[in-house]
Amino acid sequence: EAGVAQSPRYKIIEKRQSVAFWCNPISGHATLYWYQQILGQGPKLLIQFQNNGVVDDSQLPKDRFSAERLKGVDSTLKIQPAKLEDSAVYLCASSPRDRGSYEQYFGPGTRLTVT
Amino acid sequence: AQSVTQLGSHVSVSEGALVLLRCNYSSSVPPYLFWYVQYPNQGLQLLLKYTTGATLVKGINGFEAEFKKSETSFHLTKPSAHMSDAAEYFCAVSKMSSNTGKLIFGQGTTLQVKP
């Protein structure tokens, strides 16, 4: 079974530029998560999708961040315009959310550097 | 609100020695508890999880953790450290009653294994 795929793996941009990240979850997983992991910290949830609907986006900075999950499969996370403090690893995770299963499977992440 | 505290941002052990990584949580409702490992430039991999039932949980790579409700702890142990165990370890909590499966992560503990 293929794991969670993310691209690009690395991205360097200047502040005020825009950037987009892509995630392809494990086939059949209904739930998709985007996390932000700042250096030296644990991952923080940005947004959660159940199929193609948003379940939780309470910690997403909506003035600059947006995300969508087309057809309940792939997802993109966009930042526009980027700030220096957005430098982080952006992790995508998916979960089958079967009864009793809360296990999340993580992709390798996209490391964003904003200069 | 839920929270996770990992005591010690860096732990150093000798190869063959006991590994003990500490995690305390705060939750107003019964929690689900997780330990994830992150190797450099990779995503998070689930080591083990506690949902219900037996409080001593065995995971991959010889790791285990014990849920102690009275101490609100979920410490991770391994009897004998191996060089390949060097990585960053994250403890996470989720609400048992949650309909989102949202994970709250601790700050992480970097494990160094000395030869």
Side-chain angles (χ1 to χ4, degrees):
Chain A
E1 171 179 81
V4 176
Q6 291 187 246
S7 68
R9 290 296 313 276
Y10 305 91
K11 190 73 176 179
I12 301 174
I13 62 172
E14 296 181 352
K15 59 183 179 183
R16 291 187 290 274
Q17 287 186 325
S18 63
V19 64
F21 313 128
W22 174 81
C23 173
N24 185 20
I26 292 173
S27 178
H29 282 195
T31 308
L32 185 147
Y33 308 82
W34 282 103
Y35 289 87
Q36 181 192 57
Q37 185 179 16
I38 293 173
L39 185 65
Q41 300 182 18
K44 181 186 78 172
L45 181 69
L46 291 175
I47 188 167
Q48 177 186 348
F49 293 94
Q50 182 78 12
N51 296 310
N52 61 352
V54 175
V55 174
D56 184 346
D57 64 355
S58 58
Q59 299 195 76
L60 186 74
K62 298 180 185 64
D63 58 333
R64 297 185 301 106
F65 285 64
S66 65
E68 61 181 3
R69 189 181 184 193
L70 300 175
K71 301 180 181 179
V73 181
D74 293 7
S75 178
T76 56
L77 176 69
K78 297 179 181 178
I79 308 174
Q80 181 179 9
K83 294 184 175 181
L84 295 176
E85 58 260 36
D86 297 332
S87 294
V89 176
Y90 291 85
L91 295 165
C92 179
S94 68
S95 172
R97 290 301 311 280
D98 295 328
R99 181 178 293 277
S101 172
Y102 282 79
E103 184 169 342
Q104 296 183 23
Y105 298 79
F106 285 80
T110 296
R111 183 178 298 276
L112 174 66
T113 302
V114 182
T115 63
Chain B
Q2 293 181 303
S3 66
V4 176
T5 301
Q6 292 184 237
L7 300 176
S9 58
H10 288 85
V11 171
S12 181
V13 301
S14 297
E15 190 174 19
L18 171 71
V19 175
L20 171 60
L21 304 182
R22 300 178 186 272
C23 172
N24 288 89
Y25 69 91
S26 172
S27 179
S28 58
V29 298
Y32 285 166
L33 295 160
F34 305 80
W35 275 100
Y36 281 86
V37 61
Q38 186 176 34
Y39 298 100
N41 299 315
Q42 295 186 28
L44 280 69
Q45 179 185 7
L46 182 69
L47 277 177
L48 48 79
K49 64 180 178 182
Y50 168 78
T51 53
T52 58
T55 56
L56 181 62
V57 180
K58 294 186 183 299
I60 62 172
N61 301 338
F63 285 93
E64 62 182 36
E66 186 171 11
F67 170 56
K68 293 187 176 181
K69 184 178 178 180
S70 62
E71 299 177 7
T72 60
S73 70
F74 191 57
H75 301 331
L76 182 70
T77 61
K78 181 174 181 178
S80 177
H82 192 273
M83 296 297 291
S84 60
D85 294 327
E88 189 153 22
Y89 292 80
F90 292 94
C91 182
V93 63
S94 178
K95 288 183 183 179
M96 187 180 291
S97 60
S98 170
N99 64 352
T100 70
K102 176 181 177 179
L103 290 175
I104 306 296
F105 284 90
Q107 296 286 82
T109 298
T110 300
L111 176 65
Q112 180 187 23
V113 181
K114 298 177 291 185

